[in-house]
Amino acid sequence: MTRRTFGSGILGRFAAGAAAVTLASGAVVALAGAPAAAAGFGFTVSGGFVTVDTGAGLVFKVRQSNGDMTSLQLSGRELQSQSKPAHVESGLGTATVTASQNGNVIIVAESASTFYGSGTLVHYFVARSGENTIYMATFVDAAGAGELRWIQPLDRNVLTNIGTTSDVKGGTAIESTDVVTVNGQTRSKYYGHSRALDLTVRGVTGSGVGAFMAFGNRESSSGGPFFRDIEQQGTDTTIEVYNYLWSGHNDPEAQRLNVLYGPYALMVTNGSTPAAPDMSFMLNLGLRGSVPASGRGFVVGRGGGVAAGQPGEVGFANSQAQYWTPVKADGTFSSPAMKPGSYTQTLYQGELPVATRTGVTVTAGATNSGQNITSTFSTPAAIFRIGDWDGAPTGFKNAANLTTMHPSDTRMASWGPTTFTVGSAISGFPAYQWKGANNPTTVRFTLSSSQLAAHTVRIGLTAAYAGGRPQVTINNWTSAAPAPSSQPSSRSLTIGTYRGNEAVFTYSAPASAFVAGTNTMTINTISGSGGTGFLSPGYGYDSVELA
């Protein structure tokens, strides 16, 4: 057995000055002036495992042959399920695992040359003396990964409290194997989770203990500020805390490659929810693909033209990174620290993209000022408008339940088909419409004789599934069938998200389509694809207007 503790042998010199350690990835770590480590802080290599002691009560164990984490103990109390290891991806199968200590930092690096068929992945565990936190980061090369995630299975007898919406214990599958009913309520690992914009520390608890994920800044993930993905799941035997770094679950962007995902952290407490830790030190450890603060830059400017009452957000994206920042009350914005490169800049009104600029450049150590962006989205005077142009089905029927339950849930109001009269509460208008479930939606509205003219109908969609799109009939006039919008190919409306690619369909209706008095507009979901019920072609509504 090999024991590495601060203060013994060559490692004892780390506190006095800089030291270099070569990792499995070939990265070199150099730290200077590291503070003294806590008593017991160190790692051992024995029996095919690397065991790390943080010196504060947390001890975790990593299997050398495949990089699985097989034990997570706090003060001798085992928190991890022994029926399923914790791992990146679905487990690497085989991996090269190395460990090194540099003053008050221990790094365990696991590298796999093959996973999901090809590619190289390097996953890092980092422990700091006196902290009950496992810091992590994951590098993915150009070959890409499958579902890139950290899965932390915990003992359900110890960690007992989990969000109900994602607890599938005792459930009966109703869609694939991942959406179930429990006591008449639908539950899934997809439900009850935050937008990337809102991600903070979240976890599960038990008597005197808690395990929490700090998700990090999402710069290497994809999907933008409003993307949602799995965060936790309860099964019959485990409670699982996740950090989904990339999945393809209704993701409108491709996976980012040759980048370091993270840093992120698994935090263990006495049950209280911790504050998110400062993880910036991770970017100075020489981890493969890391870009330290000194190698980053900033963008500042103004975001204008967002509709009154709607929050503004400015996003930046390229093939290597994504970022976002709010538009302040005075109209200005300031980006987080960004990797150098050329970015596409997007202004959002709520969740609706309303302006795009390309060629916004970030230079290391510099601030690119004056990068102003103004909405180009037209909101003309309307005879009627159902819902706001905000990129979300805000206020519509069942809107409040879309991210927490399946559309079939008995707590949902009847989806219809619906007949909606303009001027009534928009809570009577469906948030979603499917070809095989609640088709069509009928809108009744009144025109005066002075309003008998050609008009434009605009229908905004937040997402669409299986080529679903709207075709409209106004009295005796029917629009041409539009082409489908470009959308991700996975399930969408049933897995707790209303967002895909925003699409606006425009129909030019002639004056002859309208009559003085009551008019009837029928919105019919069309598609060349099959499917039944809630897995038939469908879409989410943003807004419907007659302009």
Side-chain angles (χ1 to χ4, degrees):
M1 177 172 69
T2 304
R3 174 73 181 174
R4 296 286 189 267
T5 56
F6 181 79
S8 63
I10 189 170
L11 297 173
R13 297 198 296 270
F14 287 174
V21 179
T22 302
L23 306 181
S25 64
V28 175
V29 180
L31 295 178
F41 178 69
F43 72 89
T44 61
V45 179
S46 177
F49 293 91
V50 177
T51 302
V52 177
D53 187 336
T54 68
L58 183 67
V59 177
F60 64 95
K61 184 180 291 188
V62 178
R63 192 188 303 274
Q64 287 180 285
S65 62
N66 60 13
D68 286 351
M69 194 168 85
T70 61
S71 177
L72 180 73
Q73 294 188 4
L74 181 65
S75 301
R77 186 183 186 188
E78 183 63 68
L79 308 183
Q80 185 163 311
S81 168
Q82 294 305 290
S83 65
K84 183 178 181 180
H87 46 237
V88 70
E89 290 276 349
S90 296
L92 299 180
T94 59
T96 300
V97 178
T98 64
S100 56
Q101 182 171 340
N102 192 345
N104 71 335
V105 175
I106 293 172
I107 299 174
V108 180
E110 55 184 46
S111 176
S113 59
T114 60
F115 62 97
Y116 281 86
S118 63
T120 297
L121 178 149
V122 183
H123 181 76
Y124 298 97
F125 304 91
V126 175
R128 290 209 294 187
S129 176
E131 297 184 16
N132 288 335
T133 296
I134 304 173
Y135 298 92
M136 291 183 269
T138 310
F139 175 83
V140 176
D141 75 359
E147 290 196 33
L148 184 61
R149 59 198 173 176
W150 177 259
I151 305 175
Q152 184 67 51
L154 299 161
D155 188 336
R156 185 153 194 149
N157 294 316
V158 179
L159 283 300
T160 55
N161 303 314
I162 183 175
T164 302
T165 57
S166 55
D167 189 357
V168 301
K169 180 180 180 180
T172 301
I174 62 168
E175 182 178 301
S176 186
T177 59
D178 50 27
V179 181
V180 307
T181 58
V182 179
N183 299 324
Q185 296 183 358
T186 55
R187 300 180 185 177
S188 176
K189 61 186 178 182
Y190 292 109
Y191 297 156
H193 304 318
S194 302
R195 306 178 302 175
L197 177 75
D198 304 317
L199 276 177
T200 182
V201 174
R202 188 176 185 203
V204 297
T205 62
S207 177
V209 68
F212 298 85
M213 184 63 68
F215 296 92
N217 66 5
R218 321 309 289 171
E219 72 175 5
S220 296
S221 297
S222 59
F226 313 113
F227 184 69
R228 300 173 191 264
D229 217 329
I230 299 166
E231 295 173 19
Q232 54 184 239
Q233 176 180 225
T235 73
D236 288 348
T237 58
T238 64
I239 284 182
E240 298 169 358
V241 173
Y242 292 81
N243 187 6
Y244 255 84
L245 303 163
W246 186 85
S247 68
H249 297 151
N250 201 46
D251 194 333
E253 289 185 298
Q255 184 179 19
R256 289 184 163 88
L257 304 176
N258 273 327
V259 292
L260 183 73
Y261 287 76
Y264 51 102
L266 178 67
M267 309 178 73
V268 180
T269 75
N270 61 3
S272 60
T273 302
D278 181 356
M279 295 183 270
S280 59
F281 79 97
M282 289 275 285
L283 301 179
N284 297 315
L285 297 180
L287 309 185
R288 187 173 178 184
S290 63
V291 180
S294 60
R296 295 169 177 260
F298 297 87
V299 177
V300 298
R302 301 184 66 85
V306 174
Q310 293 289 347
E313 194 80 15
V314 176
F316 302 89
N318 63 18
S319 63
Q320 296 292 292
Q322 60 171 5
Y323 305 94
W324 45 81
T325 187
V327 178
K328 301 174 186 176
D330 64 358
T332 64
F333 68 83
S334 179
S335 78
M338 298 167 61
K339 297 178 185 178
S342 179
Y343 289 83
T344 296
Q345 180 187 32
T346 302
L347 176 65
Y348 296 94
Q349 175 175 289
E351 298 185 18
L352 176 69
V354 292
T356 301
R357 298 173 65 237
T358 59
V360 177
T361 302
V362 175
T363 303
T367 296
N368 188 348
S369 60
Q371 294 303 308
N372 304 332
I373 185 169
T374 302
S375 173
T376 59
F377 187 78
S378 173
T379 309
I383 294 173
F384 68 80
R385 179 174 296 121
I386 307 169
D388 295 324
W389 289 103
D390 61 0
T394 309
F396 290 150
K397 184 194 298 184
N398 293 320
N401 297 329
L402 300 178
T403 63
T404 59
M405 60 187 75
H406 191 268
S408 67
D409 198 290
T410 56
R411 293 168 291 176
M412 292 280 192
S414 172
W415 285 103
T418 297
T419 297
F420 178 83
T421 300
V422 169
S424 58
I426 66 168
S427 57
F429 191 89
Y432 290 166
Q433 185 174 321
W434 294 268
K435 182 178 180 181
N438 61 336
N439 206 31
T441 295
T442 302
V443 177
R444 290 180 176 166
F445 59 98
T446 301
L447 295 180
S448 66
S449 58
S450 63
Q451 293 175 308
L452 298 183
H455 295 294
T456 297
V457 176
R458 289 204 302 176
I459 300 177
L461 308 185
T462 65
Y465 177 69
R469 67 271 196 191
Q471 184 178 30
V472 301
T473 296
I474 301 174
N475 299 317
N476 294 318
W477 174 83
T478 299
S479 71
S485 57
S486 176
Q487 299 289 340
S489 59
S490 72
R491 284 180 295 163
S492 55
L493 307 181
T494 62
I495 62 168
T497 180
Y498 53 78
R499 285 221 55 79
N501 288 320
E502 182 79 20
V504 179
F505 290 82
T506 302
Y507 312 85
S508 297
S512 59
F514 302 95
V515 298
T518 300
N519 290 257
T520 298
M521 179 171 70
T522 301
I523 306 174
N524 192 48
T525 302
I526 63 171
S527 174
S529 299
T532 59
F534 299 114
L535 288 179
S536 66
Y539 43 77
Y541 280 108
D542 181 1
S543 186
V544 177
E545 70 180 13
L546 180 68

